[in-house]
Structure formats: C-alpha cells, structure tokens
Amino acid sequence: MTDYDVIVVGAGPVGSTYAYKMAKQGYDVALFDMKNRIGQPLQCAGLVSTNISDTKNLPEQFIDNKIKGANLYSPDNTCIRVEKEKTVAYVLDRVMYDKYLFDRAHDAGAATFIGEKVVDVDLKNTTVKTIERKYSSRIITVASGPASNTAKKMNPDIENKTFLGLQYTVKTEEQDMNYVDLRINQELLPGFIWQIPTSPFTKRVGLFTDCSYKTAETILKGQLKSTDTIIEKHNGIIPRFNSKKRIVENNTLLLGDSASQVKPTTGGGLISGFNCAQLASKYSSLMLDEEDNDYLLSYEKEYHKLYDNEFKAQQNVQNIIRDMTEDDFNYMFRKLREYNVDRIISEYGDMDNQTPLLKQLVKTGVIFKLVPKIGVRRLKNIWKSL
Ligand SMILES: Cc1cc2nc3c(=O)[nH]c(=O)nc-3n(C[C@H](O)[C@H](O)[C@H](O)COP(=O)(O)OP(=O)(O)OC[C@H]3O[C@@H](n4cnc5c(N)ncnc54)[C@H](O)[C@@H]3O)c2cc1C
C-alpha cells in the first residue's frame, strides 16, 4: 500500500495544473514545493499567446494587459511593426496566477506541502524523500523546473544546457499598452530583449541569452530610459529543448520545464507545459486504472508527436540566428520592409506555431532574400522539419 496514488514534485504552474487534474478525478495526490510562497519571486515575462484559451486554464482576472502586436527592432534601430486587428497575446500576473493554480489543486483535494523540499526521488522504488520523511506513491511526476536533479538522474549522458533569463519590473512614463518591443543584440544571440507593458506606467524589461550574467546585466541596464525606475529585479533559467531527453523512467515522469517542454526560439513554457500536463494526466489515470505501466510511455510518445516537429524547426531557426552578424540583421530588416514581409508575418505569424510562417517564407523563396547566407544545407534542414 502506497501513501499516495501520485506525488507531484514542484508546485509551479505546470505541476499545480497536473496535480489539479489528477485530484479532480479522485486520485490521492500529494503536491510538494520547497518554496514558502508559491509563485514568488516572479521569474517570468508573463507573455502568452491567446492560444492559452484552448487549455481552459486561465481565468480572465489574471490578465493584466492585452497585446495586439510587436515592434521588432534591428541592431541599427530599424523598426518593423507586426500586428493583427484582434488581441494576439496576454500579459499575465504570474505571481497571483501561480497562487491560484496551487490553491485550485489544494481545493480539488490534493494534499499540499509547502516549504518542503524533495531531496531525492527513488526511480526504482517510486518514493520521494523530504527532509522530514519518505513518501511512497504509484506515480511520481517531477515538475520542479529546469534545474531538476531527477531529470539529470534520468539523463546522465545529456548535458543540461540552459539559457539565462534576466528581467526588471520598471516604472516608466505613460506608454502604448498595445505593443511589445523585441530587440536584437548580437551579444545575446540567439536570445533577444523584450519590453512588455503591464500597465500604463509599468513594464517588464528583460532578455534571455547564453552569454554571461555580467554582459546580460550591462545590456539590460542599457535598455532603460533616464526616466525609468527599476522596481524589482528577477532572474531565472530557461531550459533548452532536447528531443533525446528521456522523460519517463519506471513510474516517474518529467513534466514542464523539468522535461524541457519549452519553445526553443522564445523560452516560453506555459502553454506547452499545460498541454503536456493534460497528456500526462490522461496517461497517468489510464496507468492507475488499468495497472499497465506502458501507458506512461505513451505520454512520452504523444509528447514527441505533438511537439518534436515544431520545436525542431524552431531549433533550426535558432541555429541560423546564432550565426548572424549585426550587419546581417540590419540587411534582413531592410529587406523585410522592401518585400513587405511584415504583412506575411502579420498574416502567418503565430507565437506558438512558427512552422506556418516558415513554410510560407521558404515556399515563396523570400527566406533567401532575407538571409542570403542561409545555405542549401540549412534550408534543407528547415524544410525537413516543416
Ligand atoms: C525570465 C523568464 C521569463 C519567462 N517568460 C515567459 C513568458 O513570457 N511566457 C512563457 O510562456 N514562459 C516564460 N518563461 C518560462 C516559464 O516561466 C516556465 O516555462 C514555467 O514557469 C514552467 O513551469 P513549471 O511548473 O514547469 O516550472 P517552474 O515554474 O520552474 O516551477 C517549479 C517549482 O518546483 C519547485 N521546486 C524545485 N525544486 C524542488 C524540490 N527539490 N522540491 C520541491 N519543490 C521544488 C520550485 O520552487 C517551483 O515552485 C520565462 C522564464 C524566465 C526565467
């Protein structure tokens, strides 16, 4: 007899969503988080596409702002605006949203343990050890973020490569609430800089990169206007997608950032994490009801089916971007204007599914005009993954 049907390690947005889905079905669930205050400190820009509505996981009250488009800036400050008439993205109050998702799991019947760090996950015996004691379960779902020790244990041969995310919450002069600014800086590649309005007088200014913290901080500070005041500083790590990463071993699953279920080009992990929580809960309940462990492997298979093509295409784009120089970007932005590509981006661009836009750029041959250095080999790689 085990203590629980399911133990969830990590009450971030993805772990709490999975715990809720399992508890709601009547399973005995325990949800552990080492933090005393769920959701804090903020480690997210809180920008999600409106596709999040499909996950049915976001009540309106956590939306701070609605975004219509983006101003894209080249290194020489050429600006291209891409937009749609309707809202394309939401800016979330991540701290209150995480707290809501946690409370919802608790209210659905999950036993919640906050301020309790899981120090070991035993993959053979399906037990977790906290500083207090050991707990057993039939399934362990590890959603403890990108630095998960269990993910390392399950993938001893894969280097856990991550990006740095650095962000300031800033008080600013009155601003246009409809657009986010995205800026390219060669030292940050393949990452970029964002400015996201959260209210008429506040914004999140941040970046993700694999350069050093010091360089990133200098560049980020350089983005602030003389009238801007930093209210809070945050940093966090962003995992890199790796299609070879194992996410199931015996009765233990990895989920969310622990499974690197994030978009390679932006590091965004909320929507993909929620979709994977849905898959994981579906196969966890089948495994528990039918006592057949193969169902957990189906979670892994279905996840690859859902995301591998899209994420591999995004990785290919990222590899091209990494090798581009500032001159290449300045050239590309001039050509974007010349060939009215802002219209193609506005029509086919989707924050989550970037392959339709890529297909259109490849099909029309525009990609060669934008990035002459792309080369046949790389183009073939992109085409194969589309
Ligand atoms: C700067 C930055 C900006 C971002 N911006 C966006 C964005 O705009 N849009 C977007 O979609 N995504 C964004 N992301 C990514 C997004 O925040 C993550 O994908 C998301 O938080 C993943 O959720 P999760 O539940 O898998 O993990 P996490 O949110 O990392 O939660 C993991 C939880 O596990 C707990 N934990 C860790 N170890 C243990 C342990 N041993 N025992 C118990 N508990 C443990 C932690 O305390 C934490 O609460 C951003 C990330 C960063 C760093």
Side-chain angles (χ1 to χ4, degrees):
M1 186 70 181
T2 56
D3 295 319
Y4 295 99
D5 292 324
V6 187
I7 287 176
V8 185
V9 185
V14 181
S16 290
T17 296
Y18 168 85
Y20 162 72
K21 286 176 187 288
M22 294 306 291
K24 201 175 65 159
Q25 293 176 74
Y27 298 108
D28 258 343
V29 178
L31 174 60
F32 289 88
D33 203 287
M34 64 184 191
K35 286 183 185 167
N36 288 313
R37 290 174 167 210
I38 296 299
Q40 293 185 47
L42 172 72
Q43 286 178 324
C44 184
L47 188 72
V48 286
S49 81
T50 49
N51 295 333
I52 196 167
S53 307
D54 299 340
T55 67
K56 299 189 173 51
N57 209 31
L58 175 67
E60 273 272 326
Q61 74 255 35
F62 301 106
I63 300 174
D64 276 347
N65 188 19
K66 295 184 177 178
I67 299 294
K68 275 177 66 181
N71 299 315
L72 312 175
Y73 289 92
S74 67
D76 69 1
N77 238 8
T78 305
C79 176
I80 287 182
R81 175 169 283 184
V82 290
E83 63 185 324
K84 298 204 192 233
E85 271 175 26
K86 53 180 190 168
T87 299
V88 291
Y90 301 128
V91 184
L92 308 183
D93 178 345
R94 254 300 293 268
V95 173
M96 293 312 290
Y97 184 41
D98 281 24
K99 174 93 177 52
Y100 157 80
L101 294 172
F102 173 80
D103 289 344
R104 189 180 63 164
H106 177 84
D107 294 345
T112 48
F113 299 82
I114 55 172
E116 202 155 340
K117 182 174 178 172
V118 170
V119 291
D120 188 47
V121 173
D122 184 334
L123 298 171
K124 271 201 191 122
N125 297 308
T126 324
T127 56
V128 303
K129 209 159 83 187
T130 69
I131 292 157
E132 302 290 322
R133 55 165 281 199
K134 206 185 226 185
Y135 300 86
S136 62
S137 65
R138 295 171 67 196
I139 295 176
I140 299 171
T141 296
V142 176
S144 57
S148 159
N149 284 330
T150 312
K152 282 180 209 147
K153 218 194 250 187
M154 279 165 65
N155 294 280
D157 301 328
I158 294 182
E159 194 191 340
N160 188 29
K161 286 190 180 168
T162 54
F163 290 108
L164 163 70
L166 193 60
Q167 181 175 267
Y168 300 151
T169 301
V170 170
K171 211 167 142 211
T172 189
E173 289 177 318
E174 189 159 18
Q175 61 189 333
D176 187 341
M177 295 275 285
N178 288 312
Y179 301 95
V180 298
D181 289 352
L182 303 176
R183 198 174 281 276
I184 289 161
N185 177 305
Q186 176 137 30
E187 285 183 85
L188 302 176
L189 292 175
F192 56 86
I193 303 160
W194 62 79
Q195 301 223 11
I196 300 173
T198 44
S199 77
F201 296 99
T202 53
K203 60 185 174 182
R204 294 182 185 136
V205 184
L207 55 81
F208 90 97
T209 182
D210 54 11
C211 77
S212 73
Y213 184 94
K214 216 171 156 201
T215 307
E217 195 178 34
T218 308
I219 293 172
L220 195 57
K221 283 195 174 141
Q223 299 303 308
L224 302 179
K225 290 193 242 154
S226 58
T227 45
D228 288 346
T229 316
I230 299 173
I231 306 170
E232 273 177 36
K233 293 183 180 185
H234 327 278
N235 65 73
I237 56 174
I238 295 174
R240 291 194 204 197
F241 166 73
N242 186 332
S243 63
K244 296 201 174 78
K245 190 167 178 172
R246 286 183 71 185
I247 60 166
V248 176
E249 185 166 331
N250 301 329
N251 291 20
T252 300
L253 318 177
L254 301 179
L255 180 63
D257 273 18
S258 294
S260 303
Q261 289 162 338
V262 300
K263 287 182 284 181
T265 47
T266 65
L270 286 173
I271 294 182
S272 43
F274 292 152
N275 287 334
C276 292
Q278 172 59 28
L279 279 183
S281 71
K282 173 180 162 188
Y283 288 107
S284 298
S285 36
L286 281 167
M287 181 271 183
L288 292 171
D289 293 349
E290 304 197 12
E291 304 200 338
D292 181 350
N293 277 28
D294 281 355
Y295 280 117
L296 297 186
L297 292 170
S298 300
Y299 155 62
E300 186 165 58
K301 268 192 222 139
E302 287 286 312
Y303 154 63
H304 286 302
K305 212 160 107 190
L306 190 61
Y307 279 112
D308 270 12
N309 279 0
E310 173 66 31
F311 285 179
K312 279 181 185 165
Q314 290 190 23
Q315 261 181 335
N316 284 327
V317 170
Q318 200 168 53
N319 290 337
I320 292 166
I321 286 175
R322 190 187 284 278
D323 289 347
M324 285 171 68
T325 63
E326 294 208 337
D327 285 346
D328 292 334
F329 279 108
N330 293 334
Y331 175 87
M332 184 171 102
F333 270 67
R334 280 199 301 277
K335 293 292 163 189
L336 280 168
R337 276 231 171 115
E338 200 177 309
Y339 295 107
N340 290 328
V341 182
D342 46 343
R343 284 210 211 121
I344 302 182
I345 300 176
S346 297
E347 187 178 344
Y348 292 93
D350 180 306
M351 282 168 65
D352 301 307
N353 307 310
Q354 294 160 18
T355 44
L357 172 64
L358 271 173
K359 259 188 192 154
Q360 195 60 18
L361 294 178
V362 174
K363 214 166 77 185
T364 52
V366 171
I367 201 155
F368 280 117
K369 293 176 181 142
L370 299 177
V371 199
K373 285 189 352 191
I374 188 167
V376 174
R377 183 179 55 82
R378 284 196 154 155
L379 192 69
K380 270 190 186 159
N381 279 343
I382 290 193
W383 188 247
K384 265 195 274 173
S385 57
L386 290 179

